[in-house]
Amino acid sequence: MIDIKLIRENPDIIYRAMEKRGEDRCSIEEVIALDNSYRQLLKEAEALRARRNTVSDEIGRMKGKPPAELIAEMRQVGDRIKQIETEANQIAAGLEDKLLRLPNIPADDVPVGRDAADNVEVRSWGERREFSFKPLPHWDLAEKLGIIDFQRGVKLSGTRFYVLKGAGAALQRALINYMLDLHIQKHGYTEIFPPFMVKRECMVGSSNLPKFADNLYHDAEEDYWFIPTAEVPLTNLHRDEIIAPGMLPLYYVAHTSCFRREKMAAGKDTRGIKRGHQFEKVEIYKFVAPENSDDELTRLLNDAEDICYNLELPYRVIQLCTGDLGFAAVKTFDIEMWAPGCEEWLEVSSCSNCGDFQARRANIRYRPDNESKPRLVHTLNGSGLALPRVMIAILENYQQADGSIAVPEALRPYMNTAIIK
RNA sequence: GGAGGGAUCGCAUAGUGGUCUAGUGCGGCCGCCUGCUAAGCGGUUGCCCCGGGUAACCGGGGUCAAGGGUUCGAAUCCCUUUCCCUCCGCCA
């Protein structure tokens, strides 16, 4: 959520930000109008309350019975307060809803652009492997090796579901443990295993609701929401808290299943395991002081890249332009791995600085030192990494002429084998 | 799922309609005292919103789990919801 005071005092900044994102500006005008009428009503209600407080206090001090006219007048004042407050609350709710649907302001150094075509490649690492044979896409490789069962996945749960079997399941498990260990031991993150179903207000805090309900699975009976990423529970870990002096930065890593309806992408990427309704992901997450968040994003990105580097999978880092930036982000870098079989760059990670956007929604603050007032933290998140796409990259990059897969060196201690055949 | 008990300022507690602008202890902060430490003495103390001011600050409103109700006035009475505890039932 954008600070209403900023919108009130510097609307030009917000207009410019929305323009860079390709959003229209009329919602801002509505916000400003609602904010004005709300504050007007609030002022009235507060003045009446101040009067009531004084008079009630006087009545309390009186020895005898208070005059009937005074009681009658105060009864009217009470009714009026109720009236104004009802109206004010309605306006406040409308204002809140509008504010919750406004995207974050991009950082100044984010390249301006319309869509993904205007994203900027920052760097790349590793050579694309030369094959002496035609590399197969992962669905063919996996089918032949019997490590992914697409048909039975559909039998169990329908389209966009699959079953990992034998070495397929083992490879995923090895990757999860490997990634967790690296982030915990080398990069200093603390492991978290959160719930996969959360309350509505968690989804609002992380900014998945109210705007993106279409992408979420929801249990209507209990009002539980299935997490589309560990970012949701991790953000809410410190919801409504004031983090004590000296505690920041906080680094968390979590492996969770992720659940996405993928309504928006109907019909896209239906082949293989690139885009499923349920997938595993290791997520890295930081709560930091505002002045450090830009540096912390660089380090978070490096931590995610470290996995790609150690698995010896060629990748590139892309900076998202203003038009492609996610709703909550001020700045985002994607990591893409090359998949020689299906011949495309796979997004395996998205690393974002959300500034104080989620912190304001989720009311997450910190105290710089004992004497100071609480301030909003900055939150950062990144995949470290998304499992199915890393598996695609491994299968397709490490395939051999006979259809077997060499296990990346770093993963062998976790797999107890050097080859999948 | 059933029956009962509870939720108060960081923590522990007091408070059953107006002297509560929520008291006290601990902790925190400031100062004094003291070879050092501990102890002691004095003062201070959360968060949110609105208005004024460059600012320290000042004025007002809100906040006793959340929302609603009764009342001139609610931490206190009533209703609903949430969470926690005890017992019973069910359960990996």
Side-chain angles (χ1 to χ4, degrees), chain A residues 54-171:
Chain A
T54 322
V55 174
S56 291
D57 194 53
E58 282 164 9
I59 293 173
R61 283 177 211 284
M62 287 176 190
K63 290 288 173 199
K65 282 229 163 67
E69 317 88 68
L70 193 58
I71 299 283
E73 191 210 328
M74 283 303 105
R75 189 175 292 142
Q76 277 190 343
V77 167
D79 290 346
R80 184 78 189 119
I81 291 173
K82 221 166 276 179
Q83 246 177 44
I84 295 174
E85 276 187 341
T86 306
E87 201 183 333
N89 287 343
Q90 267 170 16
I91 291 175
L95 174 62
E96 173 91 348
D97 186 67
K98 287 269 183 311
L99 279 175
L100 287 173
R101 289 167 193 276
L102 284 184
N104 204 354
I105 302 166
D108 289 337
D109 58 346
V110 171
V112 175
R114 274 177 73 88
D115 53 38
D118 296 322
N119 291 345
V120 177
E121 180 170 328
V122 176
R123 61 177 163 272
S124 66
W125 179 89
E127 295 287 311
R128 289 206 217 169
R129 184 182 152 197
E130 295 291 336
F131 287 87
S132 58
F133 55 94
K134 172 122 179 77
L136 295 174
H138 68 282
W139 51 84
D140 286 338
L141 290 163
E143 196 104 62
K144 284 181 182 164
L145 288 164
I147 60 173
I148 304 177
D149 190 334
F150 295 102
Q151 284 181 4
R152 290 197 175 91
V154 171
K155 176 163 78 179
L156 294 180
S157 306
T159 182
R160 292 195 192 283
F161 286 93
Y162 50 86
V163 173
L164 298 180
K165 186 182 171 193
L171 176 62

Side-chain angles (χ1 to χ4, degrees), chain A residues 171-391:
Chain A
L171 176 62
Q172 172 168 283
R173 183 157 48 88
L175 278 165
I176 292 165
N177 282 328
Y178 170 65
M179 290 176 187
L180 283 173
D181 285 349
L182 194 80
H183 291 313
I184 294 161
Q185 289 158 20
K186 188 173 167 196
H187 303 145
Y189 293 77
T190 301
E191 186 175 1
I192 298 288
F193 188 85
F196 293 1
M197 301 187 290
V198 297
K199 300 181 196 177
R200 168 179 250 110
E201 55 243 68
C202 291
M203 286 295 179
V204 174
S206 57
S207 67
N208 298 78
L209 287 178
K211 211 176 170 186
F212 305 104
D214 275 4
N215 293 332
L216 301 170
Y217 288 104
H218 175 222
D219 166 48
E221 197 174 341
E222 307 283 350
D223 201 27
Y224 282 133
W225 296 78
F226 287 61
I227 60 169
T229 159
E231 178 194 342
V232 174
L234 290 176
T235 302
N236 285 278
L237 225 45
H238 294 292
R239 180 158 50 87
D240 294 323
E241 288 184 21
I242 298 173
I243 296 164
M247 296 300 288
L248 293 184
L250 292 165
Y251 290 9
Y252 294 118
V253 60
H255 153 240
T256 68
S257 295
C258 302
F259 306 92
R260 298 186 182 180
R261 294 180 79 101
E262 301 291 359
K263 249 189 186 166
M264 309 306 218
K268 209 180 157 199
D269 304 318
T270 45
R271 204 125 192 237
I273 62 171
K274 182 181 167 191
R275 192 185 295 274
H277 286 312
Q278 174 191 323
F279 64 97
E280 303 304 291
K281 183 155 61 72
V282 170
E283 179 82 358
I284 48 184
Y285 198 97
K286 295 180 173 184
F287 296 89
V288 308
E291 61 271 23
N292 301 329
S293 70
D294 206 43
D295 289 342
E296 292 280 9
L297 178 61
T298 304
R299 296 179 52 197
L300 183 98
L301 175 63
N302 289 340
D303 293 341
E305 277 179 74
D306 204 22
I307 305 275
C308 312
Y309 170 81
N310 280 290
L311 291 173
E312 299 176 81
L313 290 162
Y315 69 89
R316 63 182 191 184
V317 176
I318 305 285
Q319 177 165 24
L320 302 195
C321 72
T322 51
D324 201 28
L325 206 58
F327 182 77
V330 293
K331 196 196 279 194
T332 298
F333 295 94
D334 280 1
I335 302 173
E336 299 181 340
M337 279 178 179
W338 176 246
C342 42
E343 292 185 299
E344 61 174 316
W345 289 98
L346 299 169
E347 184 188 322
V348 293
S349 180
S350 191
C351 298
S352 301
N353 180 2
C354 292
D356 62 15
F357 192 80
Q358 292 176 319
R360 185 171 293 107
R361 287 172 163 248
N363 189 28
I364 310 164
R365 293 169 295 164
Y366 76 107
R367 213 181 282 281
D369 50 76
N370 274 323
E371 288 76 41
S372 27
K373 288 268 164 196
R375 297 172 65 192
L376 293 167
V377 301
H378 279 194
T379 58
L380 300 93
N381 68 82
S383 346
L385 308 165
L387 270 295
R389 292 176 185 182
V390 175
M391 294 213 290

Side-chain angles (χ1 to χ4, degrees), chain A residues 25 78 326 340:
Chain A
R25 56 183 280 158

Side-chain angles (χ1 to χ4, degrees), chain A residues 14-31:
Chain A
I14 315 299
Y15 285 132
R16 211 178 314 129
M18 292 307 132
E19 198 186 318
K20 283 204 268 184
R21 273 184 178 270
E23 297 267 335
D24 79 295
R25 56 183 280 158
C26 28
S27 51
I28 309 280
E29 279 152 11
E30 286 173 328
V31 163

